[in-house]
Amino acid sequence: MKFEIKDRDAAGRICKFTTEHGTVTTPNLMPVINPNKMLISPKEMKKFFGTQIVITNSYIIKKNEKLREKALEVGVHKLIDFDGPIMTDSGTFQSYVYGDVKLDPLEIVEFQRDIGSDVGTILDIFGTPQQTKTKAARGVKETVKRAQQSIRVKGDMVLACTVQGSVYPDLRNKCAKELSKIDADFFPIGGVVPLMENQRYSDLVSCILASKKGLNPSKPVHLFGAGHPLIFPLAVALGCDFFDSSAYAKYANDGRMIFPWGTKKLDNLDELPCCCPICTKFTASELRNLKENEKSLQLAKHNLYVSFAELKKIRSAIAEGNLWELVETRASSNPYLLESMKKLKKTENKTWLEQSESTSKDRALFYTGNHTIHRPIIYRCHRRLIDRYEPLFDTTIVFPDGNKPYSKYYSEQIKKIIRKSNNVKILINSRLGPVPIELDEMYPFAQSVFPETTDKETEEEVSRIFDEFTRNRDVIFWEGDKTLQKLSESQEKSQNDIDIRRISAVANIQFGKDASKSLFDGKIKIIKSKKTGKIRNIYCDENHILSMRAGDGMFTLKIAGAKLLHRYFKYPRLRVTIEGDAVPFVKQGKSVFAKFVLDCDPELRPFDECLVVDEKDVLIAAGRCLLNRSEMLSFKYGMAVRTREHID
Ligand code: GUN
Ligand code: ZN
């Protein structure tokens, strides 16, 4: 099995998952195939919906003599006539639904192996939401024990070891940690069907978060039995890679149509709010008048079209960097889902989510409502302002939000202030939070779009951050000439150049407190774009140390700059440490693969600039991280750092 990150947004990712039957792009959906009754064959699914992987049930196959014999003889791929990757489930769910089913935990794993399943599942103990913690803990213990035993008989099959633990986050987390110690390659989150059925999305979010926090981040995660697209965006944003759907068929047999925002009975629809080929071909009444079997078939197709379309939307949102916007928009279509978003405001969850969030995106951040202010990227940007920004001066003049870039919008006022005194800090009280004027081109301050008026919750959060940021400072709200008169003439005029302030502030926010001291300790030359007037390149003592990107106003680190940071900051700050074997490759300019990473600064985030060093902390290259620390240390495939410049 191979699992490799290709792109990312929120804690979601686009990955390539490869077994010997092919490669699947995640996040993706596995339609459930009932080997006894195929409404739509897997082959047709591949043709019409682009289905890349399916899931079927080994317990159902094993129980039926004909299916069992055939599966053992020709394999599960021929049995259901599908040549792509196939996952099998174990019968856990059947024992949950029907009570006691006779199954041996090892036998069912061996059977899945013997019929050639790509991903086989252990016989985990289904933890129900209503069970006591003691009972749930017993289930977790048994599940882990079975996983440990199953791993020995799995052969070449990928073994899916399900995280259980009912609705108890600590049990979920413990189970996830125990399972991650085993050499398992696939982690479903189980026991969530009753939560889905009762729309207990808050509990679902807690279960996902607690599980994900304990799981090895380099392995695929599957949300077992959650086939409704309503929760796909949020589940992906929290790090789920796979879903399975029996809902498409179950709902169809019941005359129900799935939509991204919920489910509707066909009988209650005058018009079909969908443009899939089925809803284009039929009107609602034509669909209603079809024979039962035909109606189920057409509804099942619609349900699959809608489910796969939502996954396309999610993958493109990841690629575009606006997954949180999709999550927030979808959440507003269901009150229970909306309620579950509250979990994301908890500091412990923000700090976990923040670790996966890239430091910059190619597109602007859009406000969609009162959840936007709690996005991990904004949380980080507030934290970095408070921890890393160097205020320099006590006096702070505060302007209200205005057009961007702020330094242009307020240029006249700023000129007047500087003429009077250069020893003041200028701050914008923006709708996203406090923005020092020097940072007005940096992501996401410049690259964010908020409406004229936000909402009470956002205002309160922003005001809290503003107070924290300006605590113990002399704050003056701009009132024109009145403010100018209040300013005392400063002794040393214009000694502190605005360009120097800008590059210092960006360097400190981006690389850490005091980074500016290490980078700009010499003769500084700043080259600006002739066209835009923006800072492009920075030289220190004739060495090109940094370039400023026009898109996000952040620095690209040149090797000369890396040397300065390396000298100033002690290990492990900004470092990615690689194995000796990989050093010659990086010295040729090749990228750093995750499997060669020995250590990494825990503060580094995806897309942060970093220093690549060897085991003796000798600088090898400057690069850009694609993963965070825990990912670098656990992924066996794919790139960890894209090398920008190396030492010769
Ligand atoms: N299908 C739906 N939920 C589950 C679960 O918790 N475990 C297994 N093995 N299959 C499931
Ligand atoms: Zn449709």
Side-chain angles (χ1 to χ4, degrees), residues 89-90 92-93 121-122 124 126 162 164 190-193 224-225:
D89 200 356
S90 55
T92 294
F93 193 65
T121 308
I122 61 165
D124 46 306
F126 196 100
T162 318
Q164 294 289 354
V192 303
V193 171
F224 236 143

Side-chain angles (χ1 to χ4, degrees), residues 344-403:
L344 309 183
K345 297 178 193 172
K346 290 190 162 183
T347 306
E348 77 227 47
N349 294 333
K350 280 187 180 182
T351 49
W352 182 78
L353 288 164
E354 185 273 321
Q355 293 172 25
S356 312
E357 197 75 50
S358 308
T359 44
S360 137
K361 315 252 152 122
D362 292 337
R363 60 180 294 289
L365 181 163
F366 274 35
Y367 170 97
T368 73
N370 64 333
H371 292 100
T372 303
I373 201 70
H374 300 291
R375 280 191 209 161
I377 187 83
I378 295 184
Y379 174 69
R380 169 192 298 150
C381 125
H382 289 161
R383 290 330 307 169
R384 284 193 176 185
L385 269 181
I386 287 158
D387 299 339
R388 298 182 175 190
Y389 180 77
E390 190 187 8
L392 292 172
F393 314 108
D394 261 350
T395 307
T396 305
I397 298 186
V398 179
F399 285 94
D401 211 333
N403 292 349

Side-chain angles (χ1 to χ4, degrees), residues 257-259 272-280 287 298-299 301-303 305-306:
M257 299 178 80
I258 291 175
F259 297 102
L272 302 172
C274 174
C275 288
C276 83
I278 307 307
C279 299
T280 309
L287 270 183
Q298 299 307 334
L299 291 187
K301 284 184 180 171
H302 156 88
N303 289 344
Y305 275 121
V306 167

